[in-house]
Amino acid sequence: MKTLILVRHAKTEQLGYMSSKSDFERSLKPRGYNDTKLVAKDMISRKIRPNLLISSKAMRAKQTARLFAEQLDIDKQDIVLEQFLYDGYTTSELLSYLEQFGALHDNIMIVGHNPEIAMTAISLTDSDYLHFPTTGTIAISFNVDSWEDINAREGKIEWFVAPKMFK
């Protein structure tokens, strides 16, 4: 059994017209930190701890991943940073990427961005629509022994949470 946990990064600062920051450099707002802790607390109550945490290289995603790592007792040095999670990808490209892990890591968490996170969740399950607010998190299970054996539309949604569920 393999479980893929998809997370949209936490709430971030907005960029103004005259901002000197790029989209890539946007940071979390205080609400983003609090929301991530709420979702992590729920994961702890479910006894969920990813074996591998992969994040987009964008600042807001890295900050979200680091907070999850801290809360879930994962070494921050073990977070894998991938540029393609920021640049955009297809479900097929993500599945090809995951194939490198073979039978390793039963639970992988990916922190990324919309629309790709939502579209990936839809493509991997039989869902027609999933609304992914910031820090929205979904666990999708696959009845396979290796990441190489995962196919679109074969995943089962185990749970979906969003921060407002805990407020």
Side-chain angles (χ1 to χ4, degrees), residues 97-143:
Y97 171 80
L98 291 173
E99 285 179 5
Q100 70 181 298
F101 301 111
L104 300 174
H105 309 299
D106 288 336
N107 300 298
I108 295 178
M109 175 185 266
I110 295 178
V111 180
H113 311 269
N114 264 357
E116 285 83 2
I117 288 292
M119 293 307 298
T120 300
I122 291 167
S123 295
L124 292 176
T125 64
D126 59 2
S127 298
D128 292 326
Y129 172 78
L130 291 169
H131 173 65
F132 262 83
T134 51
T135 325
T137 304
I138 191 169
I140 303 169
S141 66
F142 301 89
N143 192 18

mmCIF file of all heavy atoms in Angstrom, residues 97-143:
data_model
loop_
_atom_site.group_PDB
_atom_site.id
_atom_site.type_symbol
_atom_site.label_atom_id
_atom_site.label_comp_id
_atom_site.label_asym_id
_atom_site.label_seq_id
_atom_site.Cartn_x
_atom_site.Cartn_y
_atom_site.Cartn_z
ATOM 1 N N TYR A 97 8.167 10.735 -11.967
ATOM 2 C CA TYR A 97 9.110 11.163 -10.922
ATOM 3 C C TYR A 97 9.053 10.203 -9.732
ATOM 4 O O TYR A 97 10.090 9.795 -9.199
ATOM 5 C CB TYR A 97 8.788 12.590 -10.482
ATOM 6 C CG TYR A 97 9.565 13.044 -9.280
ATOM 7 C CD1 TYR A 97 10.882 13.485 -9.393
ATOM 8 C CD2 TYR A 97 8.996 13.023 -8.009
ATOM 9 C CE1 TYR A 97 11.612 13.895 -8.280
ATOM 10 C CE2 TYR A 97 9.715 13.425 -6.899
ATOM 11 C CZ TYR A 97 11.011 13.861 -7.034
ATOM 12 O OH TYR A 97 11.723 14.250 -5.924
ATOM 13 N N LEU A 98 7.845 9.831 -9.302
ATOM 14 C CA LEU A 98 7.686 8.963 -8.137
ATOM 15 C C LEU A 98 8.220 7.552 -8.380
ATOM 16 O O LEU A 98 8.592 6.859 -7.433
ATOM 17 C CB LEU A 98 6.215 8.894 -7.718
ATOM 18 C CG LEU A 98 5.617 10.167 -7.128
ATOM 19 C CD1 LEU A 98 4.115 10.007 -6.912
ATOM 20 C CD2 LEU A 98 6.321 10.569 -5.841
ATOM 21 N N GLU A 99 8.286 7.131 -9.634
ATOM 22 C CA GLU A 99 8.773 5.786 -9.959
ATOM 23 C C GLU A 99 10.167 5.518 -9.410
ATOM 24 O O GLU A 99 10.508 4.387 -9.087
ATOM 25 C CB GLU A 99 8.763 5.562 -11.471
ATOM 26 C CG GLU A 99 7.394 5.339 -12.030
ATOM 27 C CD GLU A 99 7.397 5.132 -13.533
ATOM 28 O OE1 GLU A 99 8.490 5.074 -14.153
ATOM 29 O OE2 GLU A 99 6.299 5.028 -14.096
ATOM 30 N N GLN A 100 10.986 6.570 -9.277
ATOM 31 C CA GLN A 100 12.354 6.377 -8.786
ATOM 32 C C GLN A 100 12.392 5.822 -7.363
ATOM 33 O O GLN A 100 13.396 5.266 -6.939
ATOM 34 C CB GLN A 100 13.135 7.692 -8.844
ATOM 35 C CG GLN A 100 12.664 8.722 -7.820
ATOM 36 C CD GLN A 100 13.410 10.023 -7.898
ATOM 37 O OE1 GLN A 100 14.612 10.034 -7.683
ATOM 38 N NE2 GLN A 100 12.715 11.105 -8.218
ATOM 39 N N PHE A 101 11.290 5.939 -6.643
ATOM 40 C CA PHE A 101 11.256 5.474 -5.259
ATOM 41 C C PHE A 101 10.838 4.011 -5.139
ATOM 42 O O PHE A 101 10.895 3.444 -4.048
ATOM 43 C CB PHE A 101 10.365 6.383 -4.411
ATOM 44 C CG PHE A 101 10.829 7.806 -4.422
ATOM 45 C CD1 PHE A 101 10.092 8.791 -5.054
ATOM 46 C CD2 PHE A 101 12.038 8.160 -3.846
ATOM 47 C CE1 PHE A 101 10.529 10.106 -5.090
ATOM 48 C CE2 PHE A 101 12.492 9.464 -3.871
ATOM 49 C CZ PHE A 101 11.735 10.443 -4.502
ATOM 50 N N GLY A 102 10.412 3.412 -6.258
ATOM 51 C CA GLY A 102 10.094 1.986 -6.283
ATOM 52 C C GLY A 102 9.242 1.556 -5.103
ATOM 53 O O GLY A 102 8.168 2.084 -4.871
ATOM 54 N N ALA A 103 9.762 0.591 -4.337
ATOM 55 C CA ALA A 103 9.036 0.072 -3.175
ATOM 56 C C ALA A 103 9.380 0.828 -1.893
ATOM 57 O O ALA A 103 8.838 0.537 -0.836
ATOM 58 C CB ALA A 103 9.335 -1.416 -3.003
ATOM 59 N N LEU A 104 10.286 1.805 -1.991
ATOM 60 C CA LEU A 104 10.666 2.589 -0.820
ATOM 61 C C LEU A 104 9.558 3.563 -0.426
ATOM 62 O O LEU A 104 8.705 3.914 -1.239
ATOM 63 C CB LEU A 104 11.940 3.385 -1.102
ATOM 64 C CG LEU A 104 13.184 2.582 -1.458
ATOM 65 C CD1 LEU A 104 14.305 3.522 -1.860
ATOM 66 C CD2 LEU A 104 13.601 1.705 -0.281
ATOM 67 N N HIS A 105 9.598 4.024 0.790
ATOM 68 C CA HIS A 105 8.736 5.113 1.264
ATOM 69 C C HIS A 105 7.249 4.843 1.001
ATOM 70 O O HIS A 105 6.705 5.235 -0.016
ATOM 71 C CB HIS A 105 9.121 6.445 0.618
ATOM 72 C CG HIS A 105 10.564 6.781 0.707
ATOM 73 N ND1 HIS A 105 11.218 6.934 1.901
ATOM 74 C CD2 HIS A 105 11.491 6.962 -0.264
ATOM 75 C CE1 HIS A 105 12.485 7.222 1.674
ATOM 76 N NE2 HIS A 105 12.683 7.234 0.376
ATOM 77 N N ASP A 106 6.599 4.220 1.936
ATOM 78 C CA ASP A 106 5.171 3.929 1.784
ATOM 79 C C ASP A 106 4.310 5.184 1.788
ATOM 80 O O ASP A 106 3.233 5.194 1.208
ATOM 81 C CB ASP A 106 4.705 2.986 2.892
ATOM 82 C CG ASP A 106 5.235 1.578 2.703
ATOM 83 O OD1 ASP A 106 5.550 1.209 1.550
ATOM 84 O OD2 ASP A 106 5.350 0.849 3.705
ATOM 85 N N ASN A 107 4.770 6.241 2.472
ATOM 86 C CA ASN A 107 3.999 7.483 2.577
ATOM 87 C C ASN A 107 4.872 8.655 2.132
ATOM 88 O O ASN A 107 5.857 8.969 2.789
ATOM 89 C CB ASN A 107 3.546 7.736 4.016
ATOM 90 C CG ASN A 107 2.664 6.626 4.536
ATOM 91 O OD1 ASN A 107 1.595 6.393 4.005
ATOM 92 N ND2 ASN A 107 3.132 5.921 5.550
ATOM 93 N N ILE A 108 4.472 9.292 1.030
ATOM 94 C CA ILE A 108 5.206 10.442 0.520
ATOM 95 C C ILE A 108 4.307 11.671 0.565
ATOM 96 O O ILE A 108 3.154 11.614 0.123
ATOM 97 C CB ILE A 108 5.711 10.206 -0.916
ATOM 98 C CG1 ILE A 108 6.749 9.070 -0.943
ATOM 99 C CG2 ILE A 108 6.306 11.486 -1.507
ATOM 100 C CD1 ILE A 108 7.280 8.727 -2.323
ATOM 101 N N MET A 109 4.837 12.763 1.111
ATOM 102 C CA MET A 109 4.117 14.036 1.155
ATOM 103 C C MET A 109 4.753 14.992 0.158
ATOM 104 O O MET A 109 5.971 15.124 0.109
ATOM 105 C CB MET A 109 4.175 14.640 2.557
ATOM 106 C CG MET A 109 3.554 16.035 2.654
ATOM 107 S SD MET A 109 3.779 16.772 4.306
ATOM 108 C CE MET A 109 2.245 16.279 5.047
ATOM 109 N N ILE A 110 3.906 15.652 -0.627
ATOM 110 C CA ILE A 110 4.374 16.649 -1.588
ATOM 111 C C ILE A 110 3.711 17.978 -1.262
ATOM 112 O O ILE A 110 2.481 18.065 -1.166
ATOM 113 C CB ILE A 110 4.043 16.232 -3.030
ATOM 114 C CG1 ILE A 110 4.829 14.962 -3.391
ATOM 115 C CG2 ILE A 110 4.351 17.362 -4.006
ATOM 116 C CD1 ILE A 110 4.550 14.418 -4.765
ATOM 117 N N VAL A 111 4.523 19.016 -1.106
ATOM 118 C CA VAL A 111 4.024 20.374 -0.873
ATOM 119 C C VAL A 111 4.240 21.170 -2.147
ATOM 120 O O VAL A 111 5.368 21.319 -2.603
ATOM 121 C CB VAL A 111 4.752 21.055 0.311
ATOM 122 C CG1 VAL A 111 4.214 22.467 0.519
ATOM 123 C CG2 VAL A 111 4.605 20.225 1.582
ATOM 124 N N GLY A 112 3.140 21.649 -2.719
ATOM 125 C CA GLY A 112 3.226 22.364 -3.983
ATOM 126 C C GLY A 112 2.203 23.468 -4.104
ATOM 127 O O GLY A 112 1.805 24.081 -3.111
ATOM 128 N N HIS A 113 1.756 23.674 -5.320
ATOM 129 C CA HIS A 113 0.940 24.834 -5.662
ATOM 130 C C HIS A 113 -0.292 24.415 -6.474
ATOM 131 O O HIS A 113 -0.272 23.396 -7.156
ATOM 132 C CB HIS A 113 1.762 25.807 -6.524
ATOM 133 C CG HIS A 113 3.110 26.110 -5.952
ATOM 134 N ND1 HIS A 113 3.338 27.170 -5.108
ATOM 135 C CD2 HIS A 113 4.307 25.468 -6.078
ATOM 136 C CE1 HIS A 113 4.612 27.175 -4.753
ATOM 137 N NE2 HIS A 113 5.223 26.151 -5.329
ATOM 138 N N ASN A 114 -1.292 25.249 -6.415
ATOM 139 C CA ASN A 114 -2.424 25.090 -7.315
ATOM 140 C C ASN A 114 -2.103 25.785 -8.624
ATOM 141 O O ASN A 114 -1.315 26.729 -8.620
ATOM 142 C CB ASN A 114 -3.693 25.694 -6.698
ATOM 143 C CG ASN A 114 -4.523 24.641 -6.008
ATOM 144 O OD1 ASN A 114 -4.199 23.464 -6.033
ATOM 145 N ND2 ASN A 114 -5.593 25.071 -5.387
ATOM 146 N N PRO A 115 -2.621 25.365 -9.732
ATOM 147 C CA PRO A 115 -3.675 24.363 -9.873
ATOM 148 C C PRO A 115 -3.176 22.920 -9.886
ATOM 149 O O PRO A 115 -3.989 21.995 -9.863
ATOM 150 C CB PRO A 115 -4.305 24.716 -11.217
ATOM 151 C CG PRO A 115 -3.178 25.257 -12.030
ATOM 152 C CD PRO A 115 -2.303 26.005 -11.033
ATOM 153 N N GLU A 116 -1.868 22.713 -9.927
ATOM 154 C CA GLU A 116 -1.340 21.360 -10.088
ATOM 155 C C GLU A 116 -1.725 20.410 -8.952
ATOM 156 O O GLU A 116 -2.056 19.250 -9.206
ATOM 157 C CB GLU A 116 0.189 21.370 -10.255
ATOM 158 C CG GLU A 116 0.649 21.835 -11.605
ATOM 159 C CD GLU A 116 0.722 23.352 -11.745
ATOM 160 O OE1 GLU A 116 0.435 24.081 -10.755
ATOM 161 O OE2 GLU A 116 1.064 23.814 -12.846
ATOM 162 N N ILE A 117 -1.691 20.875 -7.701
ATOM 163 C CA ILE A 117 -2.043 19.990 -6.577
ATOM 164 C C ILE A 117 -3.479 19.493 -6.736
ATOM 165 O O ILE A 117 -3.748 18.293 -6.641
ATOM 166 C CB ILE A 117 -1.835 20.699 -5.216
ATOM 167 C CG1 ILE A 117 -0.336 20.856 -4.920
ATOM 168 C CG2 ILE A 117 -2.533 19.957 -4.085
ATOM 169 C CD1 ILE A 117 0.420 19.566 -4.646
ATOM 170 N N ALA A 118 -4.406 20.387 -6.994
ATOM 171 C CA ALA A 118 -5.814 19.989 -7.159
ATOM 172 C C ALA A 118 -5.993 19.099 -8.379
ATOM 173 O O ALA A 118 -6.686 18.073 -8.308
ATOM 174 C CB ALA A 118 -6.699 21.227 -7.265
ATOM 175 N N MET A 119 -5.372 19.450 -9.484
ATOM 176 C CA MET A 119 -5.524 18.662 -10.707
ATOM 177 C C MET A 119 -4.908 17.269 -10.541
ATOM 178 O O MET A 119 -5.463 16.288 -11.047
ATOM 179 C CB MET A 119 -4.898 19.384 -11.896
ATOM 180 C CG MET A 119 -5.618 20.672 -12.282
ATOM 181 S SD MET A 119 -7.398 20.475 -12.558
ATOM 182 C CE MET A 119 -7.422 19.334 -13.920
ATOM 183 N N THR A 120 -3.812 17.173 -9.833
ATOM 184 C CA THR A 120 -3.198 15.868 -9.578
ATOM 185 C C THR A 120 -4.124 15.002 -8.739
ATOM 186 O O THR A 120 -4.336 13.821 -9.042
ATOM 187 C CB THR A 120 -1.829 16.034 -8.876
ATOM 188 O OG1 THR A 120 -0.968 16.798 -9.725
ATOM 189 C CG2 THR A 120 -1.196 14.694 -8.575
ATOM 190 N N ALA A 121 -4.698 15.582 -7.692
ATOM 191 C CA ALA A 121 -5.625 14.827 -6.834
ATOM 192 C C ALA A 121 -6.829 14.339 -7.633
ATOM 193 O O ALA A 121 -7.259 13.191 -7.491
ATOM 194 C CB ALA A 121 -6.073 15.682 -5.650
ATOM 195 N N ILE A 122 -7.359 15.178 -8.490
ATOM 196 C CA ILE A 122 -8.498 14.788 -9.322
ATOM 197 C C ILE A 122 -8.094 13.670 -10.271
ATOM 198 O O ILE A 122 -8.809 12.678 -10.432
ATOM 199 C CB ILE A 122 -9.043 16.016 -10.092
ATOM 200 C CG1 ILE A 122 -9.707 16.988 -9.113
ATOM 201 C CG2 ILE A 122 -10.005 15.594 -11.187
ATOM 202 C CD1 ILE A 122 -9.996 18.353 -9.692
ATOM 203 N N SER A 123 -6.930 13.812 -10.896
ATOM 204 C CA SER A 123 -6.466 12.817 -11.875
ATOM 205 C C SER A 123 -6.162 11.462 -11.243
ATOM 206 O O SER A 123 -6.323 10.420 -11.886
ATOM 207 C CB SER A 123 -5.207 13.315 -12.584
ATOM 208 O OG SER A 123 -5.485 14.458 -13.350
ATOM 209 N N LEU A 124 -5.697 11.466 -10.008
ATOM 210 C CA LEU A 124 -5.326 10.210 -9.368
ATOM 211 C C LEU A 124 -6.501 9.489 -8.715
ATOM 212 O O LEU A 124 -6.393 8.319 -8.353
ATOM 213 C CB LEU A 124 -4.239 10.454 -8.318
ATOM 214 C CG LEU A 124 -2.879 10.867 -8.880
ATOM 215 C CD1 LEU A 124 -1.905 11.167 -7.749
ATOM 216 C CD2 LEU A 124 -2.324 9.793 -9.807
ATOM 217 N N THR A 125 -7.617 10.175 -8.559
ATOM 218 C CA THR A 125 -8.801 9.586 -7.928
ATOM 219 C C THR A 125 -9.955 9.613 -8.925
ATOM 220 O O THR A 125 -9.794 10.006 -10.061
ATOM 221 C CB THR A 125 -9.187 10.367 -6.658
ATOM 222 O OG1 THR A 125 -9.564 11.693 -7.032
ATOM 223 C CG2 THR A 125 -8.026 10.430 -5.670
ATOM 224 N N ASP A 126 -11.110 9.244 -8.465
ATOM 225 C CA ASP A 126 -12.289 9.303 -9.341
ATOM 226 C C ASP A 126 -13.123 10.554 -9.073
ATOM 227 O O ASP A 126 -14.299 10.608 -9.366
ATOM 228 C CB ASP A 126 -13.141 8.047 -9.187
ATOM 229 C CG ASP A 126 -13.626 7.838 -7.768
ATOM 230 O OD1 ASP A 126 -13.342 8.688 -6.896
ATOM 231 O OD2 ASP A 126 -14.306 6.828 -7.517
ATOM 232 N N SER A 127 -12.474 11.576 -8.530
ATOM 233 C CA SER A 127 -13.171 12.824 -8.207
ATOM 234 C C SER A 127 -13.329 13.694 -9.449
ATOM 235 O O SER A 127 -12.489 13.678 -10.349
ATOM 236 C CB SER A 127 -12.387 13.610 -7.155
ATOM 237 O OG SER A 127 -12.291 12.869 -5.975
ATOM 238 N N ASP A 128 -14.378 14.473 -9.454
ATOM 239 C CA ASP A 128 -14.599 15.421 -10.536
ATOM 240 C C ASP A 128 -14.116 16.812 -10.157
ATOM 241 O O ASP A 128 -13.780 17.612 -11.014
ATOM 242 C CB ASP A 128 -16.085 15.497 -10.894
ATOM 243 C CG ASP A 128 -16.578 14.206 -11.517
ATOM 244 O OD1 ASP A 128 -15.790 13.557 -12.235
ATOM 245 O OD2 ASP A 128 -17.733 13.845 -11.270
ATOM 246 N N TYR A 129 -14.117 17.095 -8.859
ATOM 247 C CA TYR A 129 -13.736 18.428 -8.402
ATOM 248 C C TYR A 129 -13.256 18.358 -6.962
ATOM 249 O O TYR A 129 -13.871 17.702 -6.139
ATOM 250 C CB TYR A 129 -14.927 19.387 -8.491
ATOM 251 C CG TYR A 129 -14.655 20.731 -7.865
ATOM 252 C CD1 TYR A 129 -13.910 21.683 -8.545
ATOM 253 C CD2 TYR A 129 -15.122 21.039 -6.595
ATOM 254 C CE1 TYR A 129 -13.639 22.908 -7.965
ATOM 255 C CE2 TYR A 129 -14.862 22.269 -6.012
ATOM 256 C CZ TYR A 129 -14.116 23.200 -6.708
ATOM 257 O OH TYR A 129 -13.840 24.417 -6.143
ATOM 258 N N LEU A 130 -12.166 19.032 -6.706
ATOM 259 C CA LEU A 130 -11.669 19.171 -5.342
ATOM 260 C C LEU A 130 -11.204 20.605 -5.152
ATOM 261 O O LEU A 130 -10.376 21.092 -5.915
ATOM 262 C CB LEU A 130 -10.482 18.226 -5.091
ATOM 263 C CG LEU A 130 -10.791 16.741 -5.053
ATOM 264 C CD1 LEU A 130 -9.507 15.928 -5.081
ATOM 265 C CD2 LEU A 130 -11.596 16.395 -3.805
ATOM 266 N N HIS A 131 -11.769 21.276 -4.155
ATOM 267 C CA HIS A 131 -11.356 22.646 -3.845
ATOM 268 C C HIS A 131 -10.189 22.576 -2.870
ATOM 269 O O HIS A 131 -10.312 21.977 -1.804
ATOM 270 C CB HIS A 131 -12.510 23.434 -3.232
ATOM 271 C CG HIS A 131 -12.099 24.780 -2.734
ATOM 272 N ND1 HIS A 131 -11.644 25.764 -3.575
ATOM 273 C CD2 HIS A 131 -12.046 25.292 -1.481
ATOM 274 C CE1 HIS A 131 -11.330 26.840 -2.852
ATOM 275 N NE2 HIS A 131 -11.571 26.568 -1.582
ATOM 276 N N PHE A 132 -9.058 23.154 -3.248
ATOM 277 C CA PHE A 132 -7.868 23.130 -2.416
ATOM 278 C C PHE A 132 -7.542 24.523 -1.919
ATOM 279 O O PHE A 132 -6.833 25.275 -2.570
ATOM 280 C CB PHE A 132 -6.659 22.602 -3.205
ATOM 281 C CG PHE A 132 -6.364 21.165 -2.971
ATOM 282 C CD1 PHE A 132 -7.047 20.194 -3.671
ATOM 283 C CD2 PHE A 132 -5.412 20.778 -2.044
ATOM 284 C CE1 PHE A 132 -6.782 18.861 -3.467
ATOM 285 C CE2 PHE A 132 -5.139 19.443 -1.821
ATOM 286 C CZ PHE A 132 -5.827 18.479 -2.537
ATOM 287 N N PRO A 133 -8.019 24.904 -0.730
ATOM 288 C CA PRO A 133 -7.603 26.181 -0.159
ATOM 289 C C PRO A 133 -6.151 26.065 0.291
ATOM 290 O O PRO A 133 -5.576 24.970 0.301
ATOM 291 C CB PRO A 133 -8.541 26.345 1.042
ATOM 292 C CG PRO A 133 -8.851 24.945 1.448
ATOM 293 C CD PRO A 133 -8.886 24.146 0.173
ATOM 294 N N THR A 134 -5.551 27.165 0.666
ATOM 295 C CA THR A 134 -4.182 27.091 1.170
ATOM 296 C C THR A 134 -4.133 26.136 2.366
ATOM 297 O O THR A 134 -5.063 26.080 3.169
ATOM 298 C CB THR A 134 -3.665 28.487 1.578
ATOM 299 O OG1 THR A 134 -4.603 29.113 2.440
ATOM 300 C CG2 THR A 134 -3.421 29.359 0.355
ATOM 301 N N THR A 135 -3.119 25.350 2.425
ATOM 302 C CA THR A 135 -2.861 24.294 3.403
ATOM 303 C C THR A 135 -3.866 23.138 3.291
ATOM 304 O O THR A 135 -3.897 22.262 4.155
ATOM 305 C CB THR A 135 -2.796 24.806 4.861
ATOM 306 O OG1 THR A 135 -2.214 26.112 4.890
ATOM 307 C CG2 THR A 135 -1.912 23.907 5.718
ATOM 308 N N GLY A 136 -4.660 23.126 2.238
ATOM 309 C CA GLY A 136 -5.523 21.976 1.986
ATOM 310 C C GLY A 136 -4.640 20.750 1.805
ATOM 311 O O GLY A 136 -3.612 20.813 1.128
ATOM 312 N N THR A 137 -5.027 19.636 2.417
ATOM 313 C CA THR A 137 -4.198 18.431 2.417
ATOM 314 C C THR A 137 -5.067 17.210 2.160
ATOM 315 O O THR A 137 -6.106 17.043 2.793
ATOM 316 C CB THR A 137 -3.467 18.291 3.771
ATOM 317 O OG1 THR A 137 -2.706 19.478 4.010
ATOM 318 C CG2 THR A 137 -2.545 17.088 3.794
ATOM 319 N N ILE A 138 -4.616 16.362 1.247
ATOM 320 C CA ILE A 138 -5.356 15.156 0.905
ATOM 321 C C ILE A 138 -4.420 13.960 0.941
ATOM 322 O O ILE A 138 -3.252 14.065 0.564
ATOM 323 C CB ILE A 138 -6.014 15.285 -0.491
ATOM 324 C CG1 ILE A 138 -7.015 14.163 -0.748
ATOM 325 C CG2 ILE A 138 -4.963 15.370 -1.594
ATOM 326 C CD1 ILE A 138 -7.889 14.382 -1.978
ATOM 327 N N ALA A 139 -4.929 12.841 1.427
ATOM 328 C CA ALA A 139 -4.184 11.581 1.419
ATOM 329 C C ALA A 139 -4.885 10.646 0.439
ATOM 330 O O ALA A 139 -6.086 10.404 0.553
ATOM 331 C CB ALA A 139 -4.137 10.961 2.806
ATOM 332 N N ILE A 140 -4.115 10.150 -0.517
ATOM 333 C CA ILE A 140 -4.642 9.253 -1.544
ATOM 334 C C ILE A 140 -3.867 7.940 -1.445
ATOM 335 O O ILE A 140 -2.633 7.932 -1.538
ATOM 336 C CB ILE A 140 -4.467 9.860 -2.955
ATOM 337 C CG1 ILE A 140 -5.142 11.231 -3.023
ATOM 338 C CG2 ILE A 140 -5.020 8.917 -4.015
ATOM 339 C CD1 ILE A 140 -4.801 12.029 -4.273
ATOM 340 N N SER A 141 -4.596 6.837 -1.254
ATOM 341 C CA SER A 141 -3.929 5.539 -1.132
ATOM 342 C C SER A 141 -4.057 4.749 -2.429
ATOM 343 O O SER A 141 -5.009 4.923 -3.198
ATOM 344 C CB SER A 141 -4.502 4.737 0.040
ATOM 345 O OG SER A 141 -5.846 4.401 -0.213
ATOM 346 N N PHE A 142 -3.074 3.884 -2.626
ATOM 347 C CA PHE A 142 -3.024 3.028 -3.809
ATOM 348 C C PHE A 142 -2.697 1.617 -3.348
ATOM 349 O O PHE A 142 -1.764 1.418 -2.571
ATOM 350 C CB PHE A 142 -1.934 3.510 -4.776
ATOM 351 C CG PHE A 142 -2.143 4.915 -5.246
ATOM 352 C CD1 PHE A 142 -1.616 5.979 -4.522
ATOM 353 C CD2 PHE A 142 -2.873 5.187 -6.392
ATOM 354 C CE1 PHE A 142 -1.809 7.291 -4.939
ATOM 355 C CE2 PHE A 142 -3.068 6.496 -6.808
ATOM 356 C CZ PHE A 142 -2.542 7.547 -6.086
ATOM 357 N N ASN A 143 -3.445 0.660 -3.828
ATOM 358 C CA ASN A 143 -3.249 -0.728 -3.439
ATOM 359 C C ASN A 143 -2.159 -1.347 -4.323
ATOM 360 O O ASN A 143 -2.418 -2.219 -5.143
ATOM 361 C CB ASN A 143 -4.555 -1.499 -3.554
ATOM 362 C CG ASN A 143 -4.473 -2.856 -2.890
ATOM 363 O OD1 ASN A 143 -3.597 -3.102 -2.073
ATOM 364 N ND2 ASN A 143 -5.383 -3.738 -3.260
#
